[in-house]
Amino acid sequence: MQFETSTFKYLQDLQKNNHRDWFAAEKETYLKAQQNAKDVFAVMLLNLQKHDEIEKSKMMRIYRDVRFSKDKTPYKAHFANSYARLGKELRGGYFLRIRPGASFLAGGFWEPSKEDLFRIRKEIELDASEIKGVLEDKNYKKYFGGKFESFSELKTAPRGFDKEHPDVNLLRKKGFIASRSFSDAEVLAPNFAKEVDQSFKALRPFFNLFSDILTTNLNGESLF
């Protein structure tokens, strides 16, 4: 099971004709493309379940909420799916977006709660060696370049933390995300689902460590 060229063609056409009349006229084509994406996302869920515990898989709606956006185009010219890990003990989540020219997968903590972000920062403040060890992991470096990305960062250390801390670059982050981009040729290749799964597997040291951090206090005692 893989993404079909017709699915990509539909998304490319939608980018050029992002309005309701065209969408309605091409509804049958959309439904075929959507089903192809659903089928591939389902295969990826089965692959994930072989090595992780997944609580929920969700395909994102194609309809955009334009109420508070300057961009009034009504549709997302991509297909995307998220996979949430099981329960409070297993933190982190997986995400995949398929868009011609801008496909990527990601995993981690996009907008952690205030409490979770504070706990992660306290861990960094105390000893960031294990977190930096994740960034040095061979597979993490192979698939994610040995770095964390964040939707935004502070200009300096957060309030209450030392501005001269040696790991202030980590303290400044508001999220901790691993991301990998794919070319259109890679997405359409027969081994794409396997490549995605190998990337997701490479997140496990990251997820395991952050799950441990977020389920214990600074003394290492379980919160449950």
Side-chain angles (χ1 to χ4, degrees):
M1 179 56 63
Q2 65 187 87
F3 285 103
E4 299 172 0
T5 55
S6 58
T7 298
F8 250 59
K9 175 67 164 53
Y10 173 78
L11 292 174
Q12 289 170 331
D13 290 343
L14 179 57
Q15 288 177 347
K16 300 172 184 176
N17 303 279
N18 200 328
H19 54 82
R20 290 179 174 83
D21 289 344
W22 183 90
F23 186 83
E26 296 293 328
K27 189 64 176 290
E28 185 175 342
T29 308
Y30 160 66
L31 292 175
K32 289 179 180 179
Q34 181 193 47
Q35 188 59 55
N36 176 226
K38 283 182 178 180
D39 291 342
V40 178
F41 291 149
V43 168
M44 293 173 177
L45 173 61
L46 290 175
N47 290 339
L48 265 174
Q49 289 172 327
K50 294 176 182 177
H51 57 84
D52 203 352
E53 296 180 77
I54 304 301
E55 184 173 55
K56 183 171 66 172
S57 171
K58 180 181 179 181
M59 185 171 176
M60 307 304 171
R61 288 165 50 86
I62 200 167
Y63 307 99
R64 296 184 64 250
D65 182 355
V66 300
R67 291 174 298 172
F68 308 106
S69 175
K70 293 181 180 179
D71 179 2
K72 298 301 181 182
T73 52
Y75 308 106
K76 304 169 188 172
H78 63 254
F79 291 120
N81 204 89
S82 65
Y83 306 90
R85 300 181 80 214
L86 180 65
K88 294 181 179 180
E89 292 81 4
L90 298 181
R91 298 298 188 90
Y94 306 93
F95 180 79
L96 176 65
R97 188 187 80 171
I98 303 302
R99 180 186 178 97
S103 298
F104 72 93
L105 65 76
F109 305 82
W110 178 249
E111 290 184 317
S113 67
K114 178 181 178 181
E115 294 76 19
D116 282 354
L117 183 57
F118 181 75
R119 176 66 182 87
I120 293 169
R121 284 172 170 168
K122 292 300 290 185
E123 188 74 20
I124 294 168
E125 179 184 51
L126 183 66
D127 181 4
S129 60
E130 287 187 291
I131 291 177
K132 290 192 287 187
V134 165
L135 301 178
E136 290 298 317
D137 178 81
K138 179 179 68 174
N139 285 328
Y140 190 89
K141 290 178 73 173
K142 175 182 177 180
Y143 292 107
F144 302 107
K147 62 181 180 179
F148 290 135
E149 298 183 20
S150 179
F151 68 97
S152 65
E153 297 187 4
L154 300 172
K155 293 182 179 180
T156 185
R159 182 178 301 176
F161 291 84
D162 183 3
K163 295 180 181 179
E164 304 301 321
H165 192 283
D167 296 304
V168 69
N169 61 315
L170 292 174
L171 289 172
R172 290 169 47 230
K173 293 185 179 298
K174 293 184 178 181
F176 296 84
I177 297 294
S179 179
R180 178 188 177 187
S181 297
F182 293 96
S183 69
D184 293 353
E186 288 174 320
V187 173
L188 294 171
N191 69 333
F192 180 61
K194 181 179 179 181
E195 194 67 21
V196 168
D197 196 54
Q198 291 299 318
S199 302
F200 284 160
K201 283 182 179 179
L203 291 172
R204 288 303 295 281
F206 170 28
F207 284 177
N208 289 345
L209 176 59
F210 275 59
S211 292
D212 183 60
I213 291 170
L214 294 173
T215 57
T216 61
N217 60 27
L218 284 172
N219 294 322
E221 300 165 334
S222 175
L223 299 176
F224 301 104

